[in-house]
Every structure is written in C-alpha cells, then in structure tokens.
C-alpha cells in the first residue's frame, strides 16, 4: 500500500502543477525534417534504412550501402557510454555522437539489419568483435569497426566469420595453402593482398587481422546482439526559436559536450574531429502567452507587456519547454523581472523529468543579504532588491544529456497582481551533434527536402535502470532489484524474489490531448517466467495488457515496442512493466532498458491541423577553389508549404566544407549569410546572388587489372636509408605486392625504402615489353607526415619508360594533390580522413608499351616508398551512391 500512497501523492502534485489550460505555440512545426540527397536521413530507423537502401535492388547492395554510410558516420574510439553501457541505438549514436568501438558498431549493425528484415549474428573473436548478416542463403561478415570486407576466392561473395581465418589456397596465393587465406588475399578494403586495411584507425596489416579470425578464438554469442533501438530525432520548431547546427565544434568548455567517463568524448581522439555543436535560441512571444507556454497556472498578461499573476497572494506559474532535437549539453537562461517590493517574489526552476521533479535555479533577492538565510537557494542576477531584476543562469550538469527541458517561472505578488511581472525571457541551449552525419551538400546540384511528420509534440522517458537510478522517474514499484552497475550482457533490472510479480510504473502527463503511446524496451528472457507491457488510462483502476513475452530459446536479447492509439481527451497515461521469474535465480528474467514515448496535440489544436507558416532554411558552406583557397557562400530558402523540395548548386573544385544549417520561422531571424548570424536584411537565394549551376556530382568506382610489376626484379640507384626499420637487403620489398599503410609512422616505414636526399631512381624490369595502362607508387613518411588531401606533399616523382633499358621517355609526373572528389567509393579513407600514406596513380593518355619502368624520385623530406606497381588497365566508372529522399505525400 505504501507504493500506491506514493503514487496517489504524485498524481495530486502533477495535477496541481498543470493547472490552467496550456496551448500550442502560435505557429509550430512538429517532427520537422530537413534532409538532402547527399547524405542519409537519420530521423528514425525506418527513414535511415529507406534513404540508404531503397534505391538498391538486392540485399547484398543494400548491405554494402549501409556498410559505406556507417563507415562515414562513426569512428573507432572510446565508445559513448549511456546508462552504464555502450550506446548502440543507431539514431541516437549517429545524430549526436559517433564514438564507437568494435562491439558498439557491431551491436548497431545488428539492430539495423534486424529492422531491414535480415537475420544478424554477434561474434566475439580474438581481441575483436564483429557481426554478420544472412542473405542469399549464407551469412556475410561486415566489420564496420575497421571498415573491412572479405570475399571468398571467387572475389565476389562476402565471406562469413568462420571462413575468413580458415586455412585455404587459390591462385591468389600461388596455390600455397595458408591459415587465414581469405584474410590475407581477399580483403576488398585493403591496400592489396597481404597489405593493410585502408579505412582503419591505425596501421593494421592483414596478417594481424588473420590473427583476429583465428578459428580457435571465434565465439558466437548466440544469446546476445548487443543492440538497442527506439530513439528518433524529434525536431520541433516554435515561434521565437532559431536552431543552428554547426558542422564543427564551438568550443571545448563543458557546456559544449556530453561527458563520457567524465571527459569530453572528443578529447581521447581529437584527430577525428567528430563533435559539432548546435545552438537553440528561443525568445518566447509572451504577448499571447496561452499559445506560447507549455503550461501555466494563475497567469495573466501584464501591461504594457509580459506576464503577471492573475490573482495576488497565489503563486503564478509559466512553464516553457525546450525540445533540443540533438542532445542538450548546456542552457543559458536570461529573464527580466519587475516587482514592487521585496515581498513580491520571482523564481526560476528547471526540470528534465517532464515536471515530475523541479530544481530551483534562481530566486529574487530577499530583504536579507543574499545567501545568508538558512537553506538559501542558488541565486544569481543583477538589479535592485525591488524594481527591475535580471536573472542570468548558466546550466550544464542540470540539463546535460537531456532532450526535453522544462523551465518554470514562478511569480507571487503579495498585494496586487501587477506587483510581480516577468517582462521577458530568453533561452540559449547548446547541443552536441555528430558532424559526420548532419544533412550535407555535395558538389554540383543538391536536392533539399523539407517536410514534417505527424503534428504532435512528444514526451520521452528513457531512464537509467542502474542501482537506485530507476527510482528517479517511476512513480510506483514493487519487488524490484537492480545491478549497481550495468554488466552489459544481461538484465540490469529484474524481480527481487522469484515467483512474485515485480513491477515499475511510470506516469506521463501531457498538457494537450495524447494521440499515441509507444512503449517497450529490451528484454532478457533467459530464465522461466514472463514479462508484460501494460497501460492504464484511469489512474491504475484498470490495466490493459499490450504484449507478453515468455522465456524461449536463444538469443535472449529481445527488443519490442507496442503502439497504442489513445482515445480523444487522454491527458494522462500510466505504463507498467511487469516481470515474474519462476526460477530460483530471478536475475535471469528482466530488462536491459526501456523507452516510453507519448505523442500529444499541442492544446487547442485539432487532430491533423498544422498551423504552418513560412519558415527559412539557411545553409552555409565553403567552396574549395583550384588553388586550395576557400570561398564562403550560403543559401537561404523561404519554405511556404510542406513538404517542399528545392535545389542548391554548389561550385568549386572539390567537395564543399560544410559550415552550418539554420532553421527558423520567417519573422524570427533575418536571412543572412552565413547561417546563425542574426544580422542583416532578409535575402533569399545565394549570398552572392550567383547560381553556379551544374549537374549532380557523381562519384566513381575504381577497378584495376593485372599488376605487371608483381614479383619483378628492380634496381635502385641510391641505397635506402635504414631509419625506422627501412631498407631492402633482399631487393624484393618494392614489388612484393605488399602495399603499405594509409598511416605514416609506427611500423609503416619498415615496409619500404627511405630516401631523404639525392634523386634515387627505381627501375623495374617487367621481363618483356607489355602495354602499361597505369603506374602507381605508394608514398608514406619518415618525416614530416604530409597529407596529400591538404596539398602538403612537395616530393616529385617522374615515370620514364623504355623497351631496351637505354632509351627512356617520360610518361609524366605524378600529381600528389588529392581532392576528396578523387577518392573512389570503394576506397575507404582511414578514420582520420587523411592521405599521409597513399597509393598514387599516373594514367597516361594511352597505354605505353615498355619493358622497363623507371621512377625518378626527388624527395623533399624523409620519404618512404613501400611499393611500385604497373597495371595493364585501370577503370574509373561513375558511381551514384543513390540516397533516396522521403516519399512526398
């Protein structure tokens, strides 16, 4: 009974807090979506899968496309920890973070594949974790941690986990049977056979990777997926709001990041430049407060402006809601008050639990000196003890990690309502964004889609269940036990006693009519028992069971959500998670986690009403010029109806450098360039009034023929140095087929020859005259570590060819200036997105007939060459990555 007495008290308290009739903002667009055909739609899992895979006909192509975009969306680094375990929800991870390790991205992939209708598997192998998916009658391994794909000896069929490290042989190994044959010779994303992974986080050789797939160390986790899903990106825009997302970080102060083990998640790997930031600026229009507030009580309009109590002697409340779309990291609140005397009070409170708990963050000074009273609350601000008051509050810990923040202004006028006035209030909320996944522009023509989903606001509970933290949001519970710390592979919340119902109950109150309830979570049904999802619309008098799960065969890692359409007039819902384990150890039947979402109509809005008014979408970017300089440009579009599509044409010589994306209603912030600056007259179109035109940019796919230089003898005119393990005592390194790493330093130089002075020449004898279609040379460093993508490489290499070894003719100089647009889709850039070790190509206008190929090198540093190659053919084919925009209704 004590539990239910607690629940009854909460009901009364919440009802009192929501007195009055709240209303939707004057104009609001709920579930807004701004996406382009240059990057995926990360609004929710269904949208993400559609945007990436809809244009690909086969499961194999769909899975490759997903592999590619997951390579872009994350980096191999200390994973983001949420509720005591690594964050594996794809939408939350990709929108806000991007910090994953091998087990994290494997779990993310399992969740995505499941929602694609495919069967996943989760594997622990030797010092590594990978996953595989079933289609075309077999399982195929995708390693998004190290961006690695392996085929069978046919060069086409992606291998499964058990096949990669097995002993095998084929023509690629000269018929020689070796352990890890697939890993050594058939990696699609390596620098070449027996070479290095291209898209990894450091120099990782295929020989090392074979060790990971050693058949003796493979552990299929048949009971476990390490997955999570359910989050969706909720972007609502109200009157007075401007949201600008920046494709780079705004600073390193704590207000700009969500702690990971107490640190800025970027700090452990600053080289990746993942973190960006967003800024929500919100100035609620108080003139028609009934349409601007989340909820209110005893409130009236003040003259000439602002808010005051409707009745003196009673507290007035004005509750504002900030829904940050991306994870909030900090909040600045600035408010101006007026009061007649120190007996009139003004306070500010904050809640991240939908009003279940409030914390006072500011109060007007009392007659005593601020801070001297017993139990004095946090204070701040400027002004007299009576008269004009300015509250300035900077919050970090109180809001960090939230998506929904309520701020309550409370006024109490002792004698007359006009004696306590909130004159105005402004909010500036900082968010953390994953800079790799924001809606971007590409070179040439870009199509931008602006649309909106169901016009309902959202309340979400996604509680931490560790230790006593589960108590923070639930309103009733019984027979519940928890782990102090989440172990990750089993339930964190479960029955304390067997054969007895255990339950936790949550209450969601909405200021408008609820339309839908979505609730569920991740279950661990290993032991004998059952779990039920129930809801009540009458404060717990009756319950409806939506779904039941019972123990069954592995895997015991089940994610399930129920959707309940709610009757008109529903403002309050109770949700119950009931667990009962009949085994002696009840820990075997429980919850990994749960999520509850309630959608509701902004008060005063009928179902289906939109209330849309014109809004502005402003992109800002830098265009890369042929000389490497960058020109700032922006484009502002007036959106007069939704859904809408329009075009932005991006010029320059390379893919643009994205700066920011801003959204606002037309009257809120003038359209100016670059986005995010609230200055200048409204101007639609391009900031420089120039439409550069151009077709949609399409990338390319590279296919190489036969390496004519493989295993062929060569001479060098100047002996190699011996620093960092370089040198070539056997005279085989440069044509052994082992192309070096895409990373410099460490062990990378040991795979090549080093020169730091002179003009060494490498002359390869092909054995007979052959048609040479392309010449390649892999350069890395000694020092310094120049990056070709930053136009830093100053070395020169000329190719000369001869039929007799005496008469040489020049075939030209290598161009060591790389553009992002030059990188084929089937070349995985490393996690740093650098080309400090790269296999450069020189393609003559027509094949050159030659027996001898000479590479004349002019090093401008300590330069390492790991391989020289001559291919009979090279083919670049146009390749469209095929992003699908949302279907317009």
């Amino acid at each position: 009974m004590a539990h239910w007495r607690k629940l009854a008290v909460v009901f009364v308290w919440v009802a009192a807090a929501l007195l009055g009739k709240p209303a939707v903002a004057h104009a609001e667009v709920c579930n807004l979506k701004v996406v382009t055909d240059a990057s995926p739609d990360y609004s929710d899992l269904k949208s993400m899968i559609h945007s990436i895979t809809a244009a690909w006909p086969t499961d194999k192509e769909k899975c490759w496309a997903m592999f590619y975009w997951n390579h872009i969306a994350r980096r191999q680094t200390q994973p983001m920890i949420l509720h005591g375990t690594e964050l594996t929800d794809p939408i939350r991870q990709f929108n806000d973070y991007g910090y994953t390790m091998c087990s994290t991205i494997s779990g993310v992939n399992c969740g995505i594949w499941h929602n694609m209708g495919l069967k996943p598997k989760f594997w622990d192998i030797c010092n590594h974790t990978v996953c595989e998916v079933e289609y075309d009658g077999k399982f195929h391994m995708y390693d998004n941690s190290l961006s690695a794909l392996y085929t069978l000896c046919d060069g086409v069929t992606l291998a499964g986990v058990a096949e990669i490290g097995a002993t095998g042989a084929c023509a690629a190994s000269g018929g020689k049977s070796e352990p890890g044959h697939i890993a050594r010779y058939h990696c699609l994303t390596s620098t070449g056979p027996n070479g290095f992974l291209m898209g990894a986080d450091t120099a990782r050789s295929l020989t090392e990777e074979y060790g990971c797939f050693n058949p003796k160390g493979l552990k299929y986790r048949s009971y476990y997926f390490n997955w999570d899903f359910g989050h969706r990106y909720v972007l609502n825009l109200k009157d007075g709001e401007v949201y600008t997302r920046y494709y780079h970080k705004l600073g390193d102060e704590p207000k700009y990041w969500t702690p990971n083990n107490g640190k800025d998640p970027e700090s452990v790997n600053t080289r990746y430049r993942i973190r960006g930031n967003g800024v929500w600026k919100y100035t609620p229009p108080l003139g028609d407060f009934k349409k601007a507030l989340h909820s209110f009580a005893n409130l009236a309009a003040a003259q000439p402006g602002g808010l005051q109590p409707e009745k003196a002697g009673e507290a007035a409340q004005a509750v504002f809601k900030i829904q940050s779309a991306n994870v909030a990291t900090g909040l600045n609140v600035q408010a101006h008050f007026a009061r007649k005397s120190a007996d009139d009070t003004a306070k500010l409170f904050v809640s991240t639990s939908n009003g279940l708990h409030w914390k006072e963050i500011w109060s007007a000074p009392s007659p005593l000196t601020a801070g001297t009273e017993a139990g004095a609350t946090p204070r701040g601000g400027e002004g007299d003890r009576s008269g004009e008051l300015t509250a300035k509050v900077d919050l970090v810990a109180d809001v960090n990690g939230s998506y929904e923040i309520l701020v309550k202004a409370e006024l109490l006028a002792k004698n007359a309502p006009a004696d306590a006035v909130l004159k105005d209030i402004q909010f500036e909320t900082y968010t953390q964004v994953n800079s790799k996944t924001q809606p971007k522009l590409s070179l040439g023509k870009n199509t931008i889609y602006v649309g909106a989903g169901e016009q309902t606001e959202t309340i979400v509970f996604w509680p931490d269940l560790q230790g006593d933290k589960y108590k923070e949001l639930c309103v009733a519970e019984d027979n519940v036990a928890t782990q102090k710390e989440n172990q990750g592979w089993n339930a964190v919340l479960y029955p304390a006693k067997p054969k007895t119902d255990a339950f936790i109950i949550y209450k969601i109150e909405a200021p408008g009519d609820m339309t839908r309830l979505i609730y569920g979570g991740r279950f661990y049904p290993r032991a004998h028992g059952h779990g039920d999802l129930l809801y009540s619309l009458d404060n717990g008098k009756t319950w409806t069971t939506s779904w039941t799960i019972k123990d069954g065969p592995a895997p015991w890692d089940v994610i399930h959500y129920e959707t309940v359409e709610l009757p008109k007039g529903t403002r309050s819902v109770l949700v119950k998670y009931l667990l009962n384990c009949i085994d002696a150890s009840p820990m075997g039947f429980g919850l990994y986690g749960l999520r509850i979402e309630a959608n509701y109509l902004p008060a005063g809005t009928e179902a289906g009403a939109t209330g849309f008014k014109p809004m502005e979408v402003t992109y800002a970017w830098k265009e890369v010029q042929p000389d490497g300089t960058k020109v700032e440009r922006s484009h502002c579009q007036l959106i007069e109806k939704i859904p809408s599509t329009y075009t932005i044409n991006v010029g320059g010589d390379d893919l643009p450098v994205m700066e920011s994306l801003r959204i606002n209603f037309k009257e809120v912030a003038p359209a100016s360039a670059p986005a995010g600056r609230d200055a200048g007259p409204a101007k639609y179109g391009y900031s420089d009034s120039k439409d550069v035109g151009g077709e949609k940019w399409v990338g390319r796919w590279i296919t190489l023929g036969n390496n004519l230089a493989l295993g062929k003898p060569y001479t060098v005119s100047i002996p190699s140095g011996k620093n960092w393990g370089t040198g070539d005592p056997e005279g085989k390194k440069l044509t052994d087929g082992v192309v070096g790493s895409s990373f410099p330093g460490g062990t990378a130089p040991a795979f090549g020859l080093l020169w730091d002075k002179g003009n060494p020449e490498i002359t390869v004898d092909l054995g007979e005259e052959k048609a040479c279609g392309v010449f390649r040379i892999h350069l890395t460093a000694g020092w310094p570590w120049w990056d070709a993508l930053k136009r830093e490489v100053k070395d020169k290499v000329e190719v000369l060819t001869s039929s007799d070894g005496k008469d040489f003719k020049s075939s030209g100089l290598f161009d060591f200036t790389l553009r992002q647009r030059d990188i084929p889709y089937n070349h995985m850039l490393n996690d740093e997105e650098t080309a400090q070790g790269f296999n450069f190509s020189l393609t003559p206008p027509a094949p050159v007939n030659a027996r001898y190929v000479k590479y004349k090198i002019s090093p401008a540093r300590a330069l390492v060459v790991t391989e020289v190659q001559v291919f009979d053919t090279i083919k670049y084919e146009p390749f469209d990555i095929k992003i699908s925009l949302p279907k317009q209704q």
Side-chain angles (χ1 to χ4, degrees):
M1 291 298 294
H3 303 293
W4 285 103
R5 283 196 296 271
K6 171 186 173 184
L7 183 58
V9 171
V10 172
F11 291 169
V12 173
W13 184 90
V14 172
L18 294 175
L19 285 176
K21 187 177 180 180
V24 70
H26 176 67
E28 181 174 12
V29 181
C30 297
N31 301 304
L32 182 65
K33 182 177 293 194
V34 180
V35 294
T36 78
D37 61 353
S39 58
D41 176 1
Y42 291 103
S43 301
D44 53 65
L45 204 46
K46 183 178 179 180
S47 297
M48 173 186 165
I49 291 169
H50 169 80
S51 66
I52 293 174
T53 69
W56 298 99
T58 68
D59 288 336
K60 176 182 178 180
E61 291 169 309
K62 292 177 189 292
C63 288
W64 180 88
M66 191 63 68
F67 168 81
Y68 174 80
W69 285 112
N70 288 358
H71 164 72
I72 300 296
R74 38 65 57 208
R75 296 294 181 271
Q76 175 83 353
T77 185
Q78 187 178 93
M80 195 68 203
I81 302 298
L82 182 71
H83 299 168
T85 189
E86 55 194 326
L87 175 59
T88 58
D89 182 282
I91 301 304
R92 201 166 186 176
Q93 180 68 261
F94 291 155
N95 274 290
D96 300 338
Y97 302 112
Y99 308 101
T100 72
M101 288 293 278
C102 53
S103 57
T104 324
I105 192 61
S106 292
V108 168
N109 277 346
C110 285
I112 293 171
W113 289 332
H114 173 78
N115 281 275
M116 290 171 63
L118 303 174
K119 182 179 178 180
K121 283 185 177 180
F122 186 87
W123 288 78
D124 280 335
I125 59 177
C126 302
N127 298 315
H128 193 30
T129 304
V130 294
C131 52
E132 59 181 4
V133 60
E134 186 181 35
Y135 59 82
D136 294 345
K138 74 180 300 292
F139 278 91
H140 311 270
M141 195 283 303
Y142 289 80
D143 183 356
N144 263 119
S145 167
L146 304 180
S147 302
L149 298 175
Y150 304 87
T151 73
L152 301 180
C153 294
D154 62 10
V156 175
T157 306
L158 290 185
V161 171
E163 296 165 321
I164 296 170
T167 299
C170 75
S173 62
K176 180 181 178 182
S177 183
E178 296 176 278
H181 172 81
I182 297 295
R184 296 173 191 267
Y185 295 97
H186 296 287
C187 180
L188 289 179
T189 52
S190 68
T191 59
N194 273 321
F196 290 77
L197 293 177
M198 289 188 291
D201 58 327
T202 188
R204 294 183 182 271
S205 72
L206 296 182
T207 301
E208 291 176 286
E209 291 313 296
Y210 148 64
C212 291
F213 289 91
N214 188 322
K216 295 180 180 179
L218 304 182
K219 307 175 194 72
Y220 168 41
R221 301 304 190 191
S222 61
Y223 55 88
Y224 182 64
F225 289 120
N226 194 37
W227 59 4
D228 204 354
F229 49 83
H231 183 68
R232 68 181 180 91
Y233 188 73
V234 180
L235 178 57
N236 297 340
L237 184 67
K238 300 192 294 287
D239 255 356
E241 287 186 324
V242 181
Y243 187 34
T244 307
R245 282 176 276 175
Y246 296 89
Y247 296 72
H248 54 80
K249 64 182 180 180
L250 297 179
D252 292 320
E253 303 96 306
K255 68 179 180 180
Y256 292 124
W257 42 269
T258 303
N260 198 21
N261 293 319
K263 298 179 180 178
D264 178 355
E266 190 91 330
S267 63
V268 297
N269 255 321
T270 56
R271 60 192 175 130
Y272 292 154
R273 303 178 302 282
I274 304 174
R275 178 164 63 83
N277 286 115
V279 180
W280 274 102
K281 293 184 178 180
Y282 181 29
T283 304
L286 302 183
D288 190 357
F289 70 90
K290 293 181 181 180
K291 297 180 180 180
L293 298 179
H294 178 70
S295 63
F296 60 89
N298 187 35
L299 203 65
Q303 296 298 327
L307 302 174
Q308 67 182 42
E310 186 173 39
K311 298 178 182 179
E314 297 180 16
Q317 297 176 349
V319 179
F320 304 88
K321 182 175 182 178
I322 299 103
Q323 194 146 24
S324 60
N326 297 96
V327 62
T329 55
L331 171 64
N332 171 268
V333 184
Q334 181 167 309
H336 295 95
F337 296 92
R339 61 178 179 171
K340 187 174 183 179
S341 74
D343 292 330
D344 305 308
T345 64
K347 297 181 179 181
L348 292 174
F349 301 82
V350 69
S351 173
T352 57
S353 60
N354 193 39
L356 187 62
H357 307 292
W358 291 97
K359 179 179 180 180
E360 184 177 318
I361 57 173
W362 180 88
S363 63
S366 69
L368 297 176
T369 304
T372 62
E373 309 94 320
T377 56
R379 301 178 186 277
E382 304 169 353
D384 301 327
R385 298 188 189 283
S386 60
E388 301 290 324
L389 291 168
T390 299
K392 293 181 179 178
V393 184
D394 291 311
L395 303 175
V396 176
D398 293 315
V399 301
N400 195 285
S402 302
Y403 291 87
E404 300 165 26
I405 304 167
L406 299 182
V407 175
K408 178 170 63 178
E410 186 175 276
L411 302 168
L412 180 62
K414 183 178 181 182
N415 297 315
D419 290 349
V421 176
L422 171 64
K423 301 178 69 176
D424 60 63
I425 190 167
Q426 298 89 35
F427 304 95
E428 188 167 85
T429 308
Y430 304 102
T431 65
Q432 179 175 324
V433 307
N434 179 350
S435 66
K436 311 298 182 183
T437 58
Q438 300 310 302
K440 69 179 181 181
L441 303 176
S442 191
L443 194 61
K445 179 181 178 181
N446 297 267
T447 301
I448 293 83
Y449 169 94
V450 181
E454 184 179 71
Q455 291 306 291
T456 53
E457 290 208 48
T458 303
I459 296 168
V460 173
F461 282 5
W462 197 331
D464 187 345
L465 302 182
Q466 298 177 106
D468 289 336
K469 293 180 181 178
Y470 78 94
K471 297 177 180 290
E472 294 174 1
L473 293 180
C474 76
V475 295
E477 45 91 7
D478 195 25
N479 191 35
V480 170
T482 59
Q483 294 185 39
K484 184 178 181 180
E485 294 183 352
N486 199 330
Q487 293 180 332
W489 57 270
N490 61 2
V492 66
L493 183 146
Y494 46 88
K497 301 175 183 177
K499 302 179 182 180
T500 305
D501 284 352
F503 63 81
I504 48 176
I505 297 176
Y506 296 87
K507 183 180 181 69
I508 294 187
E509 291 272 2
D513 286 356
M514 293 186 186
T515 61
R516 183 176 296 113
L517 172 70
I518 303 168
Y519 72 120
R522 185 176 170 207
F523 293 81
Y524 181 62
R526 184 165 188 166
H528 296 302
H530 69 94
D532 299 331
L533 294 177
L534 308 97
Y535 70 93
S536 173
L537 304 182
D538 56 9
N539 288 339
K541 295 177 183 177
T542 60
W543 292 91
T544 299
T545 301
S546 299
W547 178 75
T548 296
I549 183 173
K550 296 183 179 180
D551 57 283
W556 303 294
D557 194 352
V558 179
I559 297 178
H560 183 84
Y561 288 94
E562 282 290 304
T563 298
V564 180
E565 302 298 330
L566 298 174
K568 186 176 181 179
T570 302
R571 296 285 183 100
S572 174
V573 177
L574 291 181
V575 171
K576 181 191 289 187
Y577 291 78
L578 186 147
L579 304 167
N580 192 311
C581 182
I582 63 176
D583 281 0
S585 176
M587 189 176 179
F589 201 109
L591 285 166
Y592 285 97
L594 62 88
R595 181 182 186 273
I596 307 169
E597 175 180 326
N599 305 140
Y600 65 95
L601 293 173
T605 302
E606 295 297 326
T610 60
F612 181 79
K613 70 175 187 177
M615 58 181 291
E616 298 167 350
V617 177
T618 308
Y619 271 97
W621 67 93
K622 293 178 181 177
E623 293 180 353
V624 182
Q625 304 304 301
D627 63 358
T629 59
K630 299 178 178 67
V631 175
E632 292 188 6
R633 294 188 75 210
S634 69
H635 180 278
C636 181
Q637 183 73 21
L638 179 65
I639 305 297
E640 298 184 285
K641 65 181 180 67
I642 51 174
S644 290
T645 58
Y646 64 96
T647 298
I648 295 179
N649 288 312
V650 174
D653 189 52
D654 201 356
L655 303 184
V657 178
M658 298 304 301
E659 288 294 311
S660 60
L661 166 59
R662 186 185 69 198
I663 58 169
N664 56 268
F665 285 121
K666 182 179 179 181
E667 292 84 357
V668 175
S672 57
R677 294 184 184 176
D678 301 328
K683 178 181 179 181
Y684 299 117
Y686 298 95
S687 54
D688 56 5
S689 302
K690 297 177 182 178
D691 188 334
V692 298
E695 294 300 313
K696 175 181 171 63
W697 176 76
V698 175
R700 57 184 185 170
W701 190 277
I702 184 174
T703 305
L704 290 165
N706 299 308
N707 181 8
L708 307 177
L710 182 64
K712 296 298 190 289
Y714 60 88
T715 60
V716 294
S717 62
I718 298 175
S720 165
K722 296 182 180 180
N723 294 350
W724 305 297
T726 56
D728 193 21
E730 297 182 2
K732 294 181 179 179
K733 276 187 180 180
L734 296 184
T735 58
D736 62 0
V738 181
V739 180
S741 169
S742 56
F743 287 93
T747 61
F751 288 81
L753 282 67
L754 166 71
W755 296 279
D756 58 3
K757 58 185 176 181
N759 294 104
E761 296 178 349
I762 304 165
T763 305
V764 182
D765 182 356
L766 301 180
E768 59 181 313
E769 188 170 277
K770 296 183 179 180
C772 307
V774 62
F775 308 100
R776 304 190 99 195
I777 186 168
H778 183 269
L779 302 184
T780 185
W783 185 258
W785 295 351
W786 287 336
D787 185 357
L789 286 168
K790 294 180 180 177
R791 303 168 182 259
E792 295 173 339
V793 178
K794 301 177 179 65
D795 314 296
K796 294 182 179 180
V797 178
E798 183 181 14
V799 172
L800 303 101
T801 60
S802 171
S803 294
D804 57 8
K806 298 178 181 178
D807 232 1
F808 282 87
K809 294 182 179 179
S810 177
S811 288
L813 291 165
F814 280 92
D815 183 359
F816 295 142
T817 297
L818 282 180
R819 301 171 299 180
Q820 288 279 347
R821 64 183 293 185
D822 296 330
I823 307 299
Y825 277 112
N826 56 334
H827 178 103
M828 300 285 111
L829 273 181
N830 60 44
D831 276 4
E832 291 184 10
E833 298 177 273
T834 60
Q836 295 171 325
F838 198 82
N839 204 7
F840 297 92
S841 297
L842 170 61
T843 306
V848 177
N849 293 320
R851 173 176 174 176
Y852 299 94
V853 178
K854 181 182 293 184
Y855 296 80
K856 186 176 181 179
I857 303 171
S858 299
R861 55 174 169 165
L863 177 67
V864 174
V865 178
T866 72
E867 192 79 359
V868 292
Q869 298 173 315
V870 181
F871 284 88
D872 55 357
T873 61
I874 186 171
K875 182 167 60 174
Y876 291 105
E877 298 173 283
F879 187 84
D880 186 354
I881 198 63
K882 296 182 180 179
I883 288 293
S884 297
L885 290 172
K887 296 178 181 178
Q888 295 200 38
Q889 302 299 319

